[in-house]
Amino acid sequence: MEEELEGGDEKKEVQIQPRLYDDVMATRPCSRDMKASKAMGVPPGNPGLKKLSLRILQDFSGSNGSLEKSSQPQKAGLRLRAGEPGVQQQHEEGNAGWTKGSKLAALFEHPLYNIPIPEVTEKDKLFIINPTEKFSLRSSGSDEWVSSSKAETLLPTGKTAYDTYPTWLKFHVGINRYELYPRRDPLLPTLLRDLATQRIVSSVQKSGGTQLKLIMTFPNYGQALFKPMKQTRDQETPIDFFYFSDFERHNAEIAAFHLDRILDFRRIPPVSGRLVNITKEIRDITTDKKLVKTFFISPAGNVCFYGECSYYCSTEHALCGKPDQLEGSMAALLPDKTLAKRRSWRSPWRRSYHKSKKAEWELNPNYCAQVRETPPYDRGHRLLDLIDMTILDFLMGNMDRHHYETFEKFGNDTFLLHLDNGRGFGTHSRDEPSILAPLQQCCSIKKSTYLRLQLLATQPYRLSDVLREALAADPLAPVLAEPHLRALDRRLGKVLVAVGHCLARAARQEEVLVDDVGSWV
């Protein structure tokens, strides 16, 4: 197979309470789907209630908000200047005194991580919620959602209907035009803990895609995408593997979320590691008959399964527990596409996904000039956002970025979703310079991104140190082997060198560093 296409995923349905999303209620009420409920391990709903039908979708994310401290954005103290000589020495000497504790906490307190986003208006929110609609589970233990008409109508003093929502739902309704979640989101520690510890009531295979993934459901109707462990921490992708036949790594999904947050992109949904009992939490509760047929006991007495997919779903590539404990990543799902449509965009720098052919950008050094004249890259910050994504991919060695997505409601004026990062962190002994082609060919980067990269190259905020600290809180720590963390610092240096070459060729610094911070720097 010469080309990998992630698509055609079969949707499975689960029920959600009505009127929770105001802008959907008028157009999407529908009856209960009994077969879908059974497939998901979801109890049948009350026939007297109108329900909204949700379909399961793919997604990834994770974060550690416990190390952050709340503070208001402060304009004072922003001394870091793009392109100034001596920037690294200035910060190593000036901040050494207050980074002896948590480097990660100190990083998030830095003024560069306190630049405010624009004011969020109603039209900038992904959902407009009904403030009177309460979320409740039936006291009978049936795990059924009921509307406020069936639940207690009185809320405790000082509480609002929003306070009754589960954490995953609060995460969904908090998404806006500018960010997937805020810098100091108090929900993140709870959401990560839920992903790692909530009881699993249903596990079904996610159809489509190239490698095995499972959709897991919790009692409060929260759901996660489970990617099982396929490689040990110290294994590298064989040098003879094509990028499109590489393994998807569970620890790469976890590390990608934290790296994305450290870069202040916040475009990957929350992800946590989890140790899963594949007997009790997959085999014994799944309604997926095709999945059940792939379970077996290995000669060593371990429980194994392999599912159905394009690559590595066979007895020879089975996933085996010890004897039935298996590591994996649990990624919070984004809102269903029937409620929040997403648009998929083919990356202009997509690889050929062919064993011998090259893509146009690999042959044409002036390729970026064509991209700049093509919508949506001909205006706004779309191209700069794509270069942000390029830098993230280069740092973790991900060559498999063929598409990206955006929320359709926000048009072209919104952030890119950095989904599906399982093929990152496959190698630490070698770098792939071609991943940086958009940056090298366009010679443009957000000023804020460049300043943060400079900051992460200094000793008080060294990238490997802050990521190591962030990953230490994950249930599967250590998430990355030390060579991968050291590779991050090496690659960060190469990104800064690439920007330096652009600055050296430019007539004016502003041609390369696009100002997105204004008077805050």
Side-chain angles (χ1 to χ4, degrees):
M1 179 178 179
E2 295 184 341
E3 182 167 338
E4 171 195 5
L5 293 177
E6 297 271 356
D9 292 358
E10 178 183 328
K11 312 289 187 190
K12 292 183 168 48
E13 295 185 335
V14 64
Q15 306 297 327
I16 188 171
Q17 140 189 42
R19 298 194 307 280
L20 218 42
Y21 304 110
D22 259 1
D23 57 344
V24 176
M25 178 57 191
T27 57
R28 297 195 181 275
C30 62
S31 60
R32 187 176 68 256
D33 186 329
M34 295 295 290
K35 289 184 179 179
S37 295
K38 285 184 178 181
M40 289 304 305
V42 174
N46 186 327
L49 297 177
K50 289 183 179 179
K51 303 255 183 191
L52 292 179
S53 193
L54 284 183
R55 292 176 182 171
I56 288 174
L57 54 95
Q58 173 183 357
D59 199 344
F60 317 91
S61 112
S63 154
N64 176 12
S66 60
L67 297 172
E68 296 183 73
K69 300 177 181 177
S70 293
S71 69
Q72 296 298 319
Q74 296 179 3
K75 197 169 179 179
L78 277 169
R79 299 193 184 95
L80 192 61
R81 301 289 177 182
E84 280 188 4
V87 161
Q88 179 166 338
Q89 181 180 359
Q90 177 188 38
H91 275 263
E92 289 178 351
E93 295 176 357
N95 295 329
W98 58 277
T99 57
K100 291 181 179 179
S102 166
K103 286 190 174 185
L104 187 62
L107 178 72
F108 291 143
E109 291 291 342
H110 192 278
L112 280 171
Y113 288 78
N114 285 278
I115 299 172
I117 65 170
E119 180 183 359
V120 178
T121 64
E122 290 296 292
K123 68 179 182 179
D124 297 321
K125 297 176 181 178
L126 188 60
F127 295 115
I128 307 300
I129 63 171
N130 186 333
T132 64
E133 187 65 28
K134 182 180 176 181
F135 171 92
S136 179
L137 293 173
R138 291 181 65 92
S139 59
S140 65
S142 68
D143 290 343
E144 179 187 340
W145 294 25
V146 297
S147 70
S148 58
S149 62
K150 295 289 182 181
E152 295 179 9
T153 56
L154 295 178
L155 291 165
T157 303
K159 297 292 184 179
T160 66
Y162 175 83
D163 297 320
T164 69
Y165 299 169
T167 307
W168 66 264
L169 187 54
K170 291 179 180 179
F171 164 60
H172 286 182
V173 301
I175 298 170
N176 62 62
R177 179 186 301 275
Y178 307 108
E179 57 190 6
L180 198 55
Y181 59 90
R183 292 189 180 104
R184 284 165 177 76
D185 188 354
L187 300 175
L188 284 177
T190 304
L191 183 54
L192 290 174
R193 184 168 60 250
D194 286 351
L195 291 169
T197 63
Q198 279 261 326
R199 181 168 62 92
I200 299 169
V201 298
S202 172
S203 297
V204 295
Q205 184 164 322
K206 183 179 185 299
S207 301
T210 59
Q211 299 186 34
L212 179 70
K213 296 180 279 285
L214 301 178
I215 295 292
M216 293 184 166
T217 305
F218 306 130
N220 67 357
Y221 283 64
Q223 293 178 318
L225 184 73
F226 176 77
K227 286 193 175 183
M229 177 178 178
K230 293 188 176 74
Q231 285 185 314
T232 60
R233 306 288 195 275
D234 56 351
Q235 283 183 296
E236 284 196 275
T237 301
I239 195 169
D240 292 322
F241 266 39
F242 286 100
Y243 51 88
F244 50 80
S245 58
D246 191 8
F247 293 109
E248 291 186 6
R249 288 164 282 275
H250 72 302
N251 59 323
E253 295 289 358
I254 302 167
F257 163 76
H258 290 279
L259 177 60
D260 179 84
R261 181 167 174 248
I262 286 168
L263 295 172
D264 201 42
F265 295 155
R266 290 169 289 119
R267 301 165 195 168
I268 296 179
V271 182
S272 174
R274 179 163 179 160
L275 196 61
V276 169
N277 184 310
I278 58 179
T279 299
K280 296 179 179 179
E281 297 179 308
I282 300 178
R283 189 193 67 184
D284 291 353
I285 63 174
T286 187
T287 55
D288 190 330
K289 295 180 180 180
K290 291 182 179 180
L291 179 62
V292 169
K293 290 179 180 178
T294 69
F295 277 83
F296 64 93
I297 304 298
S298 74
N302 296 320
V303 180
C304 306
F305 71 105
Y306 51 86
E308 290 188 347
C309 62
S310 303
Y311 295 168
Y312 310 124
C313 281
S314 63
T315 307
E316 294 76 19
H317 297 99
L319 304 164
C320 297
K322 294 183 179 180
D324 53 8
Q325 301 292 310
L326 179 66
E327 285 187 17
S329 62
M330 297 284 281
L333 296 186
L334 289 177
D336 185 82
K337 292 180 181 179
T338 60
L339 297 178
K341 292 181 180 179
R342 304 202 304 270
R343 181 170 179 180
S344 179
W345 303 80
R346 182 187 176 106
S347 171
W349 279 271
R350 181 186 188 274
R351 296 178 184 275
S352 66
Y353 287 80
H354 193 279
K355 294 184 178 71
S356 57
K357 293 180 181 178
K358 290 185 177 293
E360 183 181 354
W361 60 267
E362 296 177 278
L363 305 171
N364 179 6
N366 298 316
Y367 180 75
C368 184
Q370 299 175 219
V371 176
R372 287 184 185 275
E373 296 176 357
T374 306
Y377 308 99
D378 57 343
R379 63 177 184 84
H381 50 80
R382 176 63 65 89
L383 181 58
L384 294 169
D385 286 343
L386 190 141
I387 290 173
D388 280 349
M389 186 168 62
T390 291
I391 292 169
L392 172 71
D393 285 335
F394 177 73
L395 291 174
M396 59 185 181
N398 179 27
M399 300 174 67
D400 186 39
R401 188 70 70 183
H402 43 82
H403 288 77
Y404 63 87
E405 293 186 20
T406 59
F407 287 110
E408 190 173 284
K409 176 178 179 178
F410 303 136
N412 294 334
D413 186 20
T414 188
F415 60 91
L416 315 185
L417 289 162
H418 299 166
L419 307 179
D420 203 354
N421 303 287
R423 285 185 170 142
F425 296 103
T427 60
H428 53 73
S429 59
R430 57 190 184 273
D431 305 331
E432 181 49 59
S434 66
I435 300 175
L436 280 181
L439 172 63
Q440 294 167 328
Q441 293 179 356
C442 298
C443 267
S444 293
I445 186 174
K446 291 179 184 176
K447 190 174 183 179
S448 63
T449 298
Y450 181 56
L451 293 177
R452 291 186 186 106
L453 293 176
Q454 283 187 313
L455 185 66
L456 292 166
T458 65
Q459 190 279 332
Y461 309 99
R462 192 184 308 280
L463 179 57
S464 59
D465 291 341
V466 292
L467 183 58
R468 182 186 298 107
E469 182 181 339
L471 294 176
D474 190 84
L476 299 183
V479 174
L480 291 178
E482 280 298 312
H484 282 291
L485 292 168
R486 292 194 295 270
L488 283 169
D489 296 328
R490 180 182 70 241
R491 291 167 183 166
L492 174 56
K494 292 184 177 181
V495 175
L496 293 175
V497 167
V499 178
H501 289 161
C502 291
L503 288 169
R505 296 195 301 267
R508 294 179 301 108
Q509 189 179 95
E510 293 75 15
E511 295 176 2
V512 177
L513 305 181
V514 180
D515 189 4
D516 64 329
V517 293
S519 60
W520 286 92
V521 176

